[in-house]
Amino acid sequence: MRAVKYTASTLKELLQSTKVATLIDLKSALDTNVNMTVFRKLKELSYVTSYSHSGKFYTLPEIAVFDVNGIWSHNSVMFSIRGNLKNTVQDFIENSIDGYSAFELKTILNIEVKEPLLNLVRKKQLYRKKIQGRYVYFSKISQTKKVQILCRNNKEQELKTGSDQTPEKPVSDKIK
């Protein structure tokens, strides 16, 4: 029987000390050049991949301290409980009260979101509508979309009439 050379505990120790690591860091810790070896060991740990930096960074769920929006940042590397950027963007929109513009999402996620939004619209996974000269993204689910658009129109009308000078977006129950 062959002795176990690579252990998940080696990766866990590295991540606990550094909080985040790249694939190169993880391969170095295991003393291997094989990506699949690292991914097999990461799978044992239930890892999280960054949504910024093209998913280049890894951490463990118990290390990440997610905020009320399910976002965690470490040295400008962004992580989400929803996974990659596409999933994060889609989930935010699907569970929003009045949809999001690209600017609003960029403000929350601290990363450019135009490309994943456009891809989701092209694949008909989100709906996009121009409101007050800018695109706002909504759920693809018909009933949800109707409610979101109605709420967005009401919000825009309130802003136009000046009755609400400091609008705040409540976080959906699902995200809480």
Side-chain angles (χ1 to χ4, degrees):
M1 188 168 160
R2 200 165 48 173
V4 176
K5 183 177 178 184
Y6 308 111
T7 63
S9 63
T10 303
L11 297 183
K12 186 172 186 172
E13 288 170 16
L14 172 69
L15 289 169
Q16 285 174 332
S17 68
T18 62
K19 296 194 190 282
V20 301
T22 64
L23 185 59
I24 293 168
D25 300 330
L26 299 171
K27 287 195 300 190
S28 177
L30 289 178
D31 194 26
T32 183
N33 292 321
V34 182
N35 291 354
M36 205 60 209
T37 300
V38 174
F39 290 121
R40 274 192 220 99
K41 297 305 163 188
L42 278 174
K43 188 175 180 182
E44 293 177 30
L45 299 174
S46 181
Y47 65 98
V48 182
T49 306
S50 64
Y51 70 78
S52 66
H53 300 83
S54 301
K56 178 180 170 182
F57 291 90
Y58 302 86
T59 193
L60 300 175
E62 62 264 25
I63 293 171
V65 181
F66 295 106
D67 66 14
V68 293
N69 289 318
I71 303 298
W72 179 64
S73 173
H74 179 73
N75 294 338
S76 79
V77 179
M78 306 299 296
F79 294 86
S80 168
I81 59 173
R82 297 162 196 84
N84 63 28
L85 183 58
K86 177 186 162 253
N87 292 345
T88 300
V89 165
Q90 186 170 12
D91 193 70
F92 262 84
I93 291 168
E94 291 290 344
N95 294 293
S96 69
I97 292 171
D98 57 356
Y100 283 103
S101 69
F103 176 78
E104 291 166 336
L105 275 174
K106 181 180 177 182
T107 302
I108 295 167
L109 300 176
N110 294 308
I111 189 170
E112 190 58 63
V113 294
K114 289 179 183 176
E115 188 176 322
L117 284 170
L118 188 57
N119 289 335
L120 288 163
V121 168
R122 285 182 178 152
K123 292 178 181 178
K124 299 189 185 320
Q125 293 175 314
L126 289 178
Y127 176 77
R128 176 174 81 168
K129 181 177 181 179
K130 204 168 205 173
I131 298 177
Q132 299 290 326
R134 64 186 166 149
Y135 286 113
V136 180
Y137 298 83
F138 302 100
S139 172
K140 67 176 180 178
I141 302 165
S142 182
Q143 192 58 37
T144 304
K145 174 176 52 177
K146 287 177 187 174
V147 171
Q148 288 175 330
I149 291 172
L150 180 64
C151 288
R152 175 59 68 147
N153 287 335
N154 288 342
K155 178 180 173 180
E156 295 293 332
Q157 189 58 40
E158 286 174 359
L159 288 171
K160 205 176 196 182
T161 60
S163 62
D164 185 4
Q165 297 300 319
T166 55
E168 289 188 21
K169 264 190 184 234
V171 177
S172 75
D173 289 335
K174 183 177 178 186
I175 291 173
K176 287 180 184 172

